[in-house]
Amino acid sequence: GGGAAWGGGRLLAEYLLQHVHHTWKKRHYSKIELGSGVGLCGLLASKLGLGFTLLSDGNRRLLPQLNRNIARNTTDSNGNLGRIKSAHLRWDNLEDWKAMKRTYQLVVIYSP
């Protein structure tokens, strides 16, 4: 699973579009999306200007597609990626969590 935009992700994307307020944008939250899959919600949050975004998934096979989606949706006219990255992150692996080098103010997670 994870290679498609799930219903829960589409609902969360709609919520973000309708409820992200200018005060959130001013704070430039660092955010992490757990179980990003194709990255719909994390990419949208980044487009809405909410600061640095890490899109993560525990399935290594999804990362190439996730990285292509990041490149397609965040590359500026100079070919630079925005403030968005991807990572292999298994929720149940303490070493993966220890490797995280920053803290996040906003966690994006949803059930399919």
Side-chain angles (χ1 to χ4, degrees):
W6 295 94
R10 290 191 297 268
L11 289 173
L12 181 56
E14 280 294 322
Y15 178 86
L16 289 171
L17 283 170
Q18 294 174 14
H19 295 94
V20 171
H21 302 290
H22 295 290
T23 56
W24 286 19
K25 290 181 184 182
K26 290 178 186 173
R27 293 185 183 157
H28 295 286
Y29 288 115
S30 290
K31 66 204 149 308
I32 182 171
E33 181 179 15
L34 301 174
S36 296
V38 296
L40 173 65
C41 293
L43 287 166
L44 178 59
S46 183
K47 288 279 190 189
L48 292 173
L50 294 178
F52 177 82
T53 303
L54 178 69
L55 304 182
S56 70
D57 205 284
N59 184 344
R60 256 190 219 284
R61 292 176 295 156
L62 294 176
L63 293 180
Q65 179 63 50
L66 181 58
N67 287 327
R68 284 191 296 273
N69 290 346
I70 290 171
R72 285 185 190 126
N73 289 283
T74 61
T75 305
D76 66 17
S77 59
N78 296 320
N80 299 314
L81 292 178
R83 294 178 40 84
I84 188 166
K85 305 276 185 228
S86 70
H88 179 241
L89 178 64
R90 296 163 292 180
W91 301 357
D92 61 347
N93 187 298
L94 185 58
E95 295 305 313
D96 286 0
W97 287 98
K98 286 180 180 178
M100 307 310 282
K101 299 294 184 198
R102 75 184 308 144
T103 59
Y104 296 91
Q105 293 81 33
L106 182 63
V107 177
V108 177
I109 187 169
Y110 52 89
S111 176

